[in-house]
Amino acid sequence: MKRFKLLSLNLHQCFVCLIFFLIFLPSPSFSLPTTERTTLQNGLRLIVSEDHSLPFVTFQLIIDGGSRLDPPNQEGLSYMTAKGLLHGTAKHTAKQMSSLLDFIGANLSATSSKDYVSVGLRVLKKDLVQGFSIFMDVVTQPVFPEDEFRREIQRTLGSIKSVEEDPGELSEKEFFKILFTRNPYGHPVVGTEESLAKLTRNDLTIFHNTYIRPNNTILVIVGDISLDEIKKGLVDRLETWPTRDVPQTLYKRMPIESAKTLTLDRAITQSNIVLGNLGPQRNNPDFFPMVVMNYILGGGGFSSRLLTEIRAKRGFAYSVHSAFDFKKYAGSFSVSLQTKNDSAREAISIVLEEIKKMQKGPVTDIELEGARKYLTGSFPLRLDTQAKLAGFLAQVEFYGLGNDYADTYASRIMAVTKEDVQRVANKYLNPDNYTLVVVGNLKEAGFRE
């Protein structure tokens, strides 16, 4: 036991040293690699960033077809369609495709989020032609075989069951379900047991034909390749992908009219708590002040106010974390923590008290400077691999953040003032009208007599 405590202390000390390093050293200068953008004849938006340090090429394709577009009673359709892309094409079965990818050492993936479907490929430059051919077949010619579809349904049902058995994941799932009631962002990306039981292979085909179209797609290519090489060797194949009108969907924001609390009784020693409120969409102009404010409140690890009050001073929780979760049309703010059942109510009160303190008075100069230095210093680490850079460029384009987003990130973080932090705390945090989910032993936690 003593050895374990010593190890924990050393890890804590290392984390503090890292924070000190990022805060007090000057922010490194950062420049995004040269990036070129073009729109093909079929409407596909193509973004290319050259990186000749390694003989690899990374593709990241995102399609505006996330789970928010799942029809009623077909929740999980976007996810199942994305997974189905890898189950075989008009040219290759799933097994054949897997063997070909293994032979050339390529990695191919596909999944769905609430906003978009994503397909990724990493391949050696020497195998680019073969890897890209498989990539395009997957995107444009999937066949969604019945047997593979049924197996994916069973795998997904298993993951849904595992969430129900994990108090932390369950509390998060229920939080978003309540927060986004009667809202396309409210259901899990993977769907539910009831909705998956209703899906058919034909539903996947219809969703694919409707949304997975070039004029609804962004393709980012990063790596050992130039735009000229792409134009000569890849564009012809990209432009054979036929365009089609994609239906426009209206997003209706459903405000929370009163505070809501959900408690789920479980025979466990710790309560899993998620507390928060609705937030703005990703391209909100207050994004940078919100990031700084959240870092100081609960997103900054050992330097945050919440961790100081709840862990360091009272020992109620090992970790407590706050975050904004931004989406294309909506967002959320939440605080999550685990604590002993008998300290659950007090921990919740402390969270609400700290949010109100953030609203009532300005942060300190040290807090502001620490947040700004850490956020600018750590930013380049988000782009230090081809995959990270490709994903970043795709999201910047998808959310309409502007071509200068990376170049101006540091200056916009450094421009945030104490007044900005207090203003966005009052505008986007709601300690009087919040959603609360508690999963734990409710009697011990004081939620049940």
Side-chain angles (χ1 to χ4, degrees):
M1 183 61 69
K2 291 182 179 180
R3 183 179 180 183
F4 175 77
K5 289 183 177 179
L6 180 61
L7 176 61
S8 298
L9 180 61
N10 288 338
L11 289 174
H12 176 87
Q13 291 172 333
C14 289
F15 187 87
V16 172
C17 289
L18 175 61
I19 297 295
F20 182 88
F21 177 83
L22 289 170
I23 290 177
F24 291 103
L25 281 185
S27 298
S29 59
F30 174 77
S31 180
L32 193 70
T34 301
T35 302
E36 298 180 85
R37 291 171 169 80
T38 187
T39 300
L40 304 186
Q41 293 180 1
N42 58 3
L44 184 144
R45 285 176 281 172
L46 178 63
I47 301 172
V48 179
S49 180
E50 295 185 40
D51 174 14
H52 301 286
S53 60
L54 293 171
F56 287 96
V57 180
T58 297
F59 294 78
Q60 182 65 57
L61 180 146
I62 63 174
I63 302 138
D64 191 354
S67 65
R68 62 180 169 79
L69 297 174
D70 290 341
N73 301 315
Q74 289 187 311
E75 291 82 3
L77 178 55
S78 170
Y79 177 82
M80 293 302 300
T81 303
K83 289 299 181 182
L85 297 177
L86 304 180
H87 291 164
T89 69
K91 295 180 181 179
H92 303 292
T93 65
K95 186 175 181 180
Q96 291 170 339
M97 194 162 55
S98 179
S99 296
L100 287 170
L101 291 168
D102 287 344
F103 182 74
I104 63 176
N107 180 268
L108 179 66
S109 62
T111 192
S112 175
S113 67
K114 291 187 183 263
D115 272 334
Y116 52 79
V117 169
S118 61
V119 185
L121 170 72
R122 185 173 188 263
V123 63
L124 283 164
K125 175 67 177 291
K126 68 181 184 68
D127 299 310
L128 176 64
V129 173
Q130 186 173 9
F132 179 69
S133 178
I134 296 173
F135 177 80
M136 287 302 297
D137 286 345
V138 160
V139 174
T140 64
Q141 301 182 46
V143 294
F144 304 117
E146 184 71 26
D147 56 343
E148 293 286 355
F149 168 66
R150 291 298 163 193
R151 277 193 284 270
E152 190 65 53
I153 289 284
Q154 292 305 311
R155 284 192 289 267
T156 306
L157 289 173
S159 69
I160 291 173
K161 184 176 180 180
S162 70
V163 168
E164 295 296 325
E165 295 172 351
D166 185 309
E169 292 190 24
L170 178 61
S171 61
E172 183 175 310
K173 186 196 80 169
E174 294 298 328
F175 172 77
F176 287 109
K177 181 179 178 181
I178 297 173
L179 191 67
F180 291 105
T181 301
R182 304 185 308 280
N183 185 296
Y185 283 114
H187 68 268
V189 172
V190 298
T192 65
E193 291 184 52
E194 296 76 18
S195 65
L196 291 179
K198 299 174 183 177
L199 293 183
T200 67
R201 172 192 170 279
N202 189 55
D203 294 328
L204 274 60
T205 301
I206 294 172
F207 191 91
H208 176 271
N209 290 338
T210 302
Y211 293 106
I212 301 186
R213 290 290 163 181
N215 48 310
N216 199 37
T217 296
I218 299 162
L219 175 60
V220 177
I221 305 176
V222 175
D224 191 15
I225 193 169
S226 67
L227 182 60
D228 285 341
E229 289 178 287
I230 292 170
K231 288 179 178 178
K232 293 176 182 178
L234 306 183
V235 166
D236 285 348
R237 176 68 192 276
L238 287 168
E239 290 190 329
T240 62
W241 186 6
T243 187
R244 178 180 291 180
D245 289 340
V246 176
Q248 298 297 311
T249 56
L250 296 176
Y251 177 84
K252 294 182 179 180
R253 188 179 180 89
M254 306 296 291
I256 298 295
E257 298 177 354
S258 60
K260 294 185 178 181
T261 298
L262 173 67
T263 56
L264 298 175
D265 198 22
R266 296 290 188 273
I268 52 180
T269 58
Q270 288 196 321
S271 290
N272 296 259
I273 300 165
V274 183
L275 180 157
N277 53 262
L278 289 171
Q281 69 275 16
R282 175 60 182 86
N283 63 356
N284 187 284
D286 283 330
F287 173 80
F288 293 96
M290 282 189 283
V291 169
V292 173
M293 183 273 291
N294 179 68
Y295 180 91
I296 296 169
L297 176 63
F302 287 100
S303 65
S304 74
R305 290 184 176 187
L306 287 176
L307 201 67
T308 298
E309 292 297 324
I310 292 176
R311 172 178 168 161
K313 291 186 178 180
R314 297 171 176 84
F316 283 170
Y318 179 77
S319 67
V320 54
H321 182 73
S322 69
F324 282 98
D325 184 19
F326 299 100
K327 297 291 185 288
K328 187 171 185 176
Y329 296 108
S332 65
F333 169 78
S334 64
V335 177
S336 58
L337 69 148
Q338 292 181 342
T339 187
K340 289 182 179 179
N341 291 311
D342 59 8
S343 59
R345 281 193 173 276
E346 187 172 355
I348 292 168
S349 297
I350 294 169
V351 169
L352 296 173
E353 181 181 347
E354 289 304 315
I355 291 175
K356 291 176 181 178
K357 285 181 180 178
M358 185 70 72
Q359 295 176 327
K360 291 178 180 178
V363 298
T364 66
D365 291 333
I366 293 176
E367 287 177 317
L368 179 62
E369 186 66 11
R372 294 192 301 197
K373 286 287 188 179
Y374 178 85
L375 291 168
T376 54
S378 62
F379 180 71
L381 301 178
R382 296 164 52 188
L383 309 174
D384 59 0
T385 68
Q386 286 186 7
K388 288 181 183 179
L389 179 57
F392 172 82
L393 291 172
Q395 290 198 31
V396 167
E397 183 73 15
F398 181 82
Y399 291 113
L401 306 183
N403 297 343
D404 64 345
Y405 179 82
D407 295 330
T408 61
Y409 179 90
S411 62
R412 293 167 80 176
I413 287 289
M414 295 302 290
V416 174
T417 66
K418 291 189 287 185
E419 291 76 18
D420 291 330
V421 170
Q422 188 176 0
R423 175 179 60 81
V424 296
N426 279 282
K427 187 173 181 179
Y428 298 107
L429 306 185
N430 198 337
D432 298 317
N433 189 22
Y434 56 87
T435 294
L436 170 67
V437 174
V438 180
V439 180
N441 187 314
L442 300 182
K443 185 175 182 180
E444 291 182 3
F447 287 92
R448 179 179 294 177
E449 293 297 332

